[in-house]
Amino acid sequence: MDQLSLPSTIQAYNRRSHRRKVQFFLAIATAAIFLPSLVLYCSNSSSSSSSPLVIGARVLDKTTRRLSDRYAVHGLVLASGGLAGIYRHSTNPAGFNALGSSVGLALRLERSLVGGASPSRIASDLEYVQFHPTALCLPDEPRFLLTEALRGEGAILRDADGRAFARDYHPRGELAPRDVVARAVFCEGQKAEGGGHNAFLDVTHRDPAWLKGRFPSVHEHLTSRAAPLDFSKEWIPVVPAAHYTCGGVTTDLDGRATTVGGGTGTNDGGWVRNLYAAGEAARTGLHGGNRLASTSLLEGLVFGSSAGETAAGAVEDNADEVAEAAAEARSAIERRLSRSGCGSSETDSSVVDGDEEAVREATVLLSHLKSIMWDNVGVVRTPSKLSAAVSDLAAIREEADRLWEDRRGSAGVEAVALRDAA
């Protein structure tokens, strides 16, 4: 798909008012608290447009584990991050983060509107996942990102026997494009025997004092462990790790969620009214099959601002369309609340505690899913591996849906996270 040019993106940013940008940042803050992993509420439109209209969502508060219905006149912003957390090795924070909650929610909305027979158009380029070439790989520890600047300053990739292997894969060796280096580290790591490790970053030939001054965060992390590691004297065991999701919920220049096509109807493409996406959850068009350094800042700042300002009605180009959608949403929400006998736009439902058996089953399935993704849909992919993954993941998806549907209130946060990841 064609990528957006940087100049046009900046121009789109510059022409926007800054009056009510705070709405977007409130949406980001909400995303940190709520796990929007259940369902988007959609209203049957009464206007001439056949495009669906989003009026709210059922969300899970990760701190109180309470399910609640949240309604929004001006729309919803999907901003819960990417999906790098569905891989066994990931630089993303540990826990139920980066499991594709925004994409999962959008896909469930699409399935409820058009069924699951046709390929998704509300999300795109999900196959484009960037893998950081060198993450610290130590047992039972999170995958700490080791900056590529280490290789820029002369760090050498070696196997367990001390052989420098990077030039086997590219003439530029350690300075090759990051996806090439990631594949090199992965392939060498696969050659490990007897449960050992076979990919290391060696920077022991540089001056120790200079190293620690040049890379203070790396030095601090390695020396703060229970078993400190001195990278001026020891090789660092590394593994590629899922780092950034280049695809996501498809958006236009205003951060509005769209279905690929070009028409205005649900089946033709067009804006899913009152639904926005920003940050790593969005497929903005800024990235290709890989992400250039710091381009993600644009995805959050430029398109985040666009989404907030558009939802606030501050963009003149589509202010009338947005105002019409907001008016329809208000009416639909009022009707829904009237039927439920509740006058608030935030209605509490139930607490999700999760019994021990459900938590254990969901945890095991999520771990299995991450292994499938890493082994078959990771750094190196083949037709046979992808085919096997499709079959295995379909089985896990069925189990995830069954676990949620059967257990409901006792399924727990773990089951909700599994359902998103699957």
Side-chain angles (χ1 to χ4, degrees):
M1 190 169 294
D2 293 339
Q3 302 301 302
L4 302 176
S5 67
L6 186 57
S8 67
T9 302
I10 294 175
Q11 289 170 12
Y13 174 68
N14 287 337
R15 66 183 171 83
R16 283 160 170 73
S17 164
H18 297 270
R19 285 176 293 170
R20 297 174 66 183
K21 210 178 296 184
V22 68
Q23 291 204 2
F24 166 71
F25 294 101
L26 287 175
I28 291 291
T30 301
I33 300 172
F34 295 111
L35 192 64
S37 55
L38 303 172
V39 63
L40 281 173
Y41 292 128
C42 201
S43 171
N44 292 324
S45 174
S46 59
S47 71
S48 57
S49 169
S50 59
S51 176
L53 174 69
V54 171
I55 61 173
R58 168 155 288 198
V59 299
L60 173 64
D61 187 322
K62 291 188 289 187
T63 58
T64 65
R65 293 187 170 229
R66 180 174 291 278
L67 289 173
S68 58
D69 297 334
R70 304 276 163 158
Y71 298 102
V73 170
H74 294 286
L76 261 84
V77 180
L78 300 177
S80 63
L83 49 80
I86 67 176
Y87 288 90
R88 184 194 306 152
H89 301 290
S90 172
T91 61
N92 289 200
F96 304 123
N97 297 292
L99 296 178
S101 294
S102 289
V103 170
L105 197 153
L107 290 175
R108 286 196 288 275
L109 171 67
E110 182 180 55
R111 194 176 304 125
S112 70
L113 293 171
V114 300
S118 59
S120 169
R121 291 184 292 184
I122 199 170
S124 54
D125 293 346
L126 296 180
E127 68 273 26
Y128 295 151
V129 176
Q130 181 191 50
F131 291 84
H132 188 80
T134 53
L136 178 64
C137 186
L138 293 170
D140 303 319
E141 292 188 18
R143 296 294 171 254
F144 177 77
L145 186 149
L146 295 166
T147 173
E148 292 190 280
L150 281 164
R151 301 199 314 281
E153 296 288 5
I156 301 170
L157 287 167
R158 301 188 185 278
D159 64 15
D161 295 325
R163 184 180 66 88
F165 60 78
R167 290 190 181 276
D168 295 347
Y169 297 86
H170 195 279
R172 296 187 64 196
E174 284 79 7
L175 300 182
R178 69 179 72 184
D179 54 324
V180 176
V181 179
R183 284 194 292 272
V185 174
F186 176 82
C187 291
E188 292 300 315
Q190 295 295 99
K191 300 176 183 178
E193 297 179 357
H197 200 80
N198 198 51
F200 299 85
L201 203 58
D202 172 20
V203 71
T204 58
H205 53 286
R206 298 303 306 262
D207 177 69
W210 178 86
L211 267 181
K212 295 167 186 177
R214 174 69 177 83
F215 302 105
S217 61
V218 175
H219 172 63
E220 180 181 1
H221 181 83
L222 295 177
T223 55
S224 64
R225 301 175 56 250
L229 193 158
D230 185 346
F231 70 142
S232 68
K233 298 178 181 179
E234 304 172 74
W235 297 352
I236 311 172
V238 294
V239 67
H243 183 54
Y244 196 87
T245 310
C246 297
V249 179
T250 311
T251 67
D252 62 12
L253 280 171
D254 295 312
R256 304 186 300 180
T258 62
T259 53
V260 179
T264 57
T266 303
N267 298 312
D268 301 324
W271 179 32
V272 181
R273 294 186 302 153
N274 269 14
L275 183 62
Y276 303 83
E280 197 175 347
R283 186 277 181 198
T284 59
L286 284 173
H287 315 292
N290 215 328
R291 179 187 69 93
L292 298 177
S294 301
T295 311
S296 50
L297 289 174
L298 293 177
E299 199 153 53
L301 295 177
V302 175
F303 284 87
S305 176
S306 294
E309 291 172 354
T310 301
V315 180
E316 293 181 3
D317 292 355
N318 50 37
D320 291 342
E321 185 180 9
V322 170
E324 179 186 357
E328 280 193 50
R330 184 182 300 278
S331 177
I333 292 169
E334 289 174 349
R335 291 195 302 270
R336 189 180 184 95
L337 294 176
S338 177
R339 288 196 300 268
S340 66
C342 177
S344 171
S345 61
E346 301 180 4
T347 61
D348 287 333
S349 176
S350 58
V351 175
V352 176
D353 283 328
D355 62 54
E356 186 176 340
E357 182 181 350
V359 169
R360 181 170 57 251
E361 185 176 356
T363 302
V364 169
L365 283 171
L366 184 57
S367 177
H368 183 42
L369 181 147
K370 291 182 178 183
S371 294
I372 292 172
M373 291 298 296
W374 180 255
D375 294 336
N376 300 304
V377 199
V379 180
V380 176
R381 305 169 188 175
T382 65
S384 59
K385 285 186 174 184
L386 291 174
S387 178
V390 168
S391 176
D392 292 342
L393 292 173
I396 291 180
R397 189 178 303 114
E398 288 184 8
E399 286 298 303
D401 288 339
R402 176 196 59 78
L403 190 61
W404 175 255
E405 294 296 334
D406 289 353
R407 302 299 182 94
R408 285 293 178 179
S410 64
V413 175
E414 294 77 8
V416 177
L418 171 66
R419 187 165 172 249
D420 285 342

